[in-house]
Amino acid sequence: MSDYEDIEYNKPLSVSVWKKMLPFIVTEKKNLIICVSLMLLVAIIDIAFPLLLGYAIKNNIEPQTADGIWTLLTITGILVVLQAINVNFFVGIGVKADCGICRSLRNTVFSHLQKLGLSYFNKNPVGYLMARTNSDTSRIGDLVAWGLIDFTWSVFYCTGAIIAMFIIHWKMAAITCATIPLMGLITWLFQKRILSANRIIRKLNSKMTGAMNEGITGAKTVKVIVSENQSLNEFSAITSEYRMHATSLARLRSTFVPLTLFVGSLATAAVLSYGGYEIIFLGAQLSVLAIFLQYAGGFWWPIQNIARILTDIVTTQANVERVNSLLEQNPAITDKPEVIEKYGDAFTPKKENWETITGDVEFRNVTFNYPGYNKKILENFNLRIPAGTYAAIVGETGAGKSTLVNLVCRFYEPTEGEILIDGTDYRERSQHWLHSAFGYVLQSPHLFSGTIRENIRYGRLDATDEEIERAAEIVHADKIINKMEKGYETETGEGGDKLSTGEKQMISFARAVLADPRIFILDEATSSIDTEMEMLLQEAIHTLLKGRTSFVIAHRLSTIRGADIILVVDEGKIIESGTHRELMDKREHYYKLYTRQFEAEAEEKILRD
């Protein structure tokens, strides 16, 4: 579970928080204004129906005459049809407003996420970000659209009904309205407790979802360590707590609804009693009593509606705060305004101003520590890799190998010092300019849902099928693709889960090749490929990297013997450098790493044989 889900959003209603949503609400201003106008008309017609009933009783039923009945029926029929049309229109327009606000919010949130650096994604779980992008935005859109519709109708109806009642008979109007404070008090007390219970249930629901996610994604581990019973017990404990609080909430609601109905019935009974008294002893008109009984019976739903919506506004404020918090996150790495002006950004690149990258890379007095950590990973680090150099980086886990390539790719920036690409500090160029020149193949590559062909095409979206297949041939990925039943049209599944890690690496290699980058980053990219395929791939790598700058983080040291330079990294410092032969002759740190790994691989081979 993320710590973010444990944050309590229970602040009182804040206008300043909701003001930040105005730019998104304004996008649907036209539809929302139409909805408000339609709800005014709906409320007017709802107020008119009891008056028509009273008119029918006074002019037709009591005198037992049909005079004017067709006019009355015509007016009633017109109002019924008009009401049906209104409802049809406001539902359709309400859906458009809801979807429009959600779309605007989600696009903005997703666009903002694209601008944030790796450090933000390292600190925030995927589930948290997906909830902000989907659940929270959906909740806000629903409240703004449908909450505004319900609230508008409720306010217009209550106001109009009260005015109509006081005009017709102020005493019965006063009796009807006398129970409003009691209804308001009951609603306030119960909604406060219901809101509190909802917050607990929402929190437990997040825990339940997280536990279910862990149980499904970690199913293999659970079975291997035989902890099915433990997982079930943990999940059952959460569901039991959820059931307890859900039952408590149900009891609250089952008490609240009958209580409000009882108060509404009291008002109806009071109106009926006083109205009957006036009819019997004071000669009042039956039509007036009929009108008030209609208003008294339908008066309490809109009042409850108003209370519910006000509660929902406070509840949904938590969603607004979470979305605002995400949108207010500043990207850890940003381009200078003058750089954006010249080179553009990821969404509006100005490629006509991009200089051609040859691939000369230099670290100049670079000091670096990850955001939020004081430990320096690199300190006064200097390194120059000329364009076209095949540089391999080796070292123990945590030595700083990935840090080097993350800095080269500008996923992070130096705390001090500078990194130069072709002699210029890369902060003087746009991130998109730099990233377009890179081919990056990870140890655990990510594939998108779709076919193998579509995944390779991500390397260059305008590539032809022939170019895609040629890229696969260069890295020998075609040998595994052609063995599949559907070949290049094989579905990879979510995250490429229908393929083995080795197959995913081969496809990601083909994708990188298709992009034709000037600088290659291979992060232990051959670690999950079998020995036979590795030999084919190594041949392709040497051909492919010729004339390009490349940084290869090596897991199997036997794969980098052909590197132009091997950098041995330890605690953020280069402790050795040279070719494979030179380093082996030194018989120092690299020699020990290589021989130890060679012996381990030999033992594995003997055991396999």
Side-chain angles (χ1 to χ4, degrees), residues 560-573:
I560 52 146
R561 285 178 295 190
D564 296 325
I565 183 170
I566 298 172
L567 307 171
V568 184
V569 181
D570 185 48
E571 295 186 355
K573 295 180 176 60

Side-chain angles (χ1 to χ4, degrees), residues 18 21 24-25 98 101-102 105 132 134-147 316-324:
W18 280 95
M21 290 293 105
F24 307 104
I25 296 172
D98 182 0
I101 292 168
C102 287
L105 265 172
R132 300 299 77 78
N134 292 319
S135 302
D136 286 337
T137 54
S138 179
R139 175 76 174 156
I140 293 166
D142 286 348
L143 178 73
V144 172
W146 300 111
T316 307
Q317 185 169 294
N319 305 90
V320 175
E321 287 170 351
R322 284 193 286 258
V323 171
N324 284 339

Side-chain angles (χ1 to χ4, degrees), residues 391-568:
I393 306 171
V394 302
E396 304 285 359
T397 301
K401 304 187 296 296
S402 294
T403 298
L404 285 176
V405 295
N406 283 335
L407 285 167
V408 170
C409 294
R410 204 182 168 193
F411 295 148
Y412 295 92
E413 289 182 340
T415 309
E416 296 175 23
E418 56 186 4
I419 295 175
L420 289 74
I421 304 292
D422 295 344
T424 303
D425 188 333
Y426 65 5
R427 286 171 287 202
E428 299 301 320
R429 304 286 188 269
S430 72
Q431 295 177 67
H432 197 50
W433 167 84
L434 179 66
H435 294 159
S436 67
F438 278 96
Y440 204 127
V441 182
L442 298 166
Q443 180 181 5
S444 301
H446 178 82
L447 298 185
F448 299 94
S449 296
T451 64
I452 290 176
R453 188 184 301 279
E454 288 168 344
N455 270 277
I456 297 176
R457 184 172 273 124
Y458 273 110
R460 182 160 51 85
L461 295 176
D462 61 352
T464 64
D465 287 348
E466 290 73 21
E467 289 173 321
I468 289 170
E469 291 169 18
R470 176 58 186 154
E473 287 172 12
I474 291 174
V475 295
H476 303 292
D478 62 316
K479 296 187 185 328
I480 61 171
I481 296 171
N482 291 331
K483 289 179 182 178
M484 298 178 183
E485 185 179 349
K486 294 184 179 179
Y488 287 87
E489 306 312 316
T490 301
E491 290 288 333
T492 61
E494 184 179 352
D497 60 3
K498 291 184 178 180
L499 305 178
S500 69
T501 303
E503 288 169 339
K504 287 193 287 186
Q505 283 181 329
M506 297 293 282
I507 291 165
S508 66
F509 229 110
R511 181 169 62 194
V513 168
L514 186 65
D516 191 25
R518 297 309 309 156
I519 302 173
F520 255 115
I521 305 290
L522 308 183
D523 189 350
E524 300 187 353
T526 62
S527 61
S528 298
I529 297 175
D530 60 48
T531 306
E532 181 183 352
M533 187 59 70
E534 184 182 335
M535 291 175 64
L536 293 171
L537 187 56
Q538 286 304 319
E539 182 185 338
I541 287 174
H542 286 294
T543 303
L544 183 66
L545 300 186
K546 203 167 189 178
R548 305 176 197 266
T549 306
S550 55
F551 293 84
V552 179
I553 296 178
H555 175 71
R556 296 178 184 172
L557 301 184
S558 57
T559 63
I560 52 146
R561 285 178 295 190
D564 296 325
I565 183 170
I566 298 172
L567 307 171
V568 184

